[in-house]
Amino acid sequence: MYTRASASDYDDFKAKGWTTKELIPLMRKHETYQRASNNRDIHGFDGPIKVSFGNYTYPIAQDFLRAVESQVCDLTTAENNMLIQSRASRLRMISRTS
């Protein structure tokens, strides 16, 4: 499983070198994002860790997402951009070999 914390989780540290702006280049460097991306500034495409949705989704995952949607919560298939964290989506998988 792979996810990024929201930008405020890093920025609230108020620690030099740990702001979202400073960390995004490091995050980009380590990942190969294997999904379509509308914002290529936040994801890397040639790092050692491959990030995707994987090949299999458990049926209960779709049930969960439908339940979330029925409660008027936003669903998204958008990439994890560190700014929108209050939505539900499929988990991203990581792999060093695929």
Side-chain angles (χ1 to χ4, degrees), residues 81-95:
N81 67 8
M82 302 177 74
L83 300 176
I84 300 171
Q85 296 293 323
S86 61
R87 296 180 177 184
S89 69
R90 291 183 59 199
L91 295 174
R92 285 150 184 84
M93 308 301 288
I94 61 171
S95 170

Side-chain angles (χ1 to χ4, degrees), residues 2 7 9 11 25 39 42 51 63-65 68 76-77 80 83 90 92 94 98:
Y2 175 85
D9 288 340
D11 296 341
N39 187 348
I42 61 171
V51 179
D63 294 339
F64 172 77
L65 292 174
V68 169
T76 184
T77 57
N80 186 338
L83 300 176
R90 291 183 59 199
R92 285 150 184 84
I94 61 171
S98 61

Side-chain angles (χ1 to χ4, degrees), residues 3-76:
T3 190
R4 293 178 176 178
S6 66
S8 65
D9 288 340
Y10 301 108
D11 296 341
D12 289 350
F13 283 138
K14 298 193 185 315
K16 185 175 181 179
W18 282 92
T19 66
T20 302
K21 184 178 179 180
E22 293 165 305
L23 290 174
I24 284 180
L26 298 173
M27 293 175 186
R28 290 181 65 221
K29 184 176 181 177
H30 85 264
E31 76 179 1
T32 295
Y33 197 73
Q34 297 181 320
R35 302 271 305 157
S37 177
N38 293 327
N39 187 348
R40 298 183 69 83
D41 294 335
I42 61 171
H43 288 292
F45 296 91
D46 57 2
I49 298 176
K50 295 178 173 58
V51 179
S52 72
F53 281 155
N55 295 329
Y56 181 76
T57 301
Y58 287 93
I60 196 166
Q62 295 305 319
D63 294 339
F64 172 77
L65 292 174
R66 278 192 294 277
V68 169
E69 190 173 38
S70 75
Q71 298 302 310
V72 194
C73 294
D74 288 334
L75 291 180
T76 184

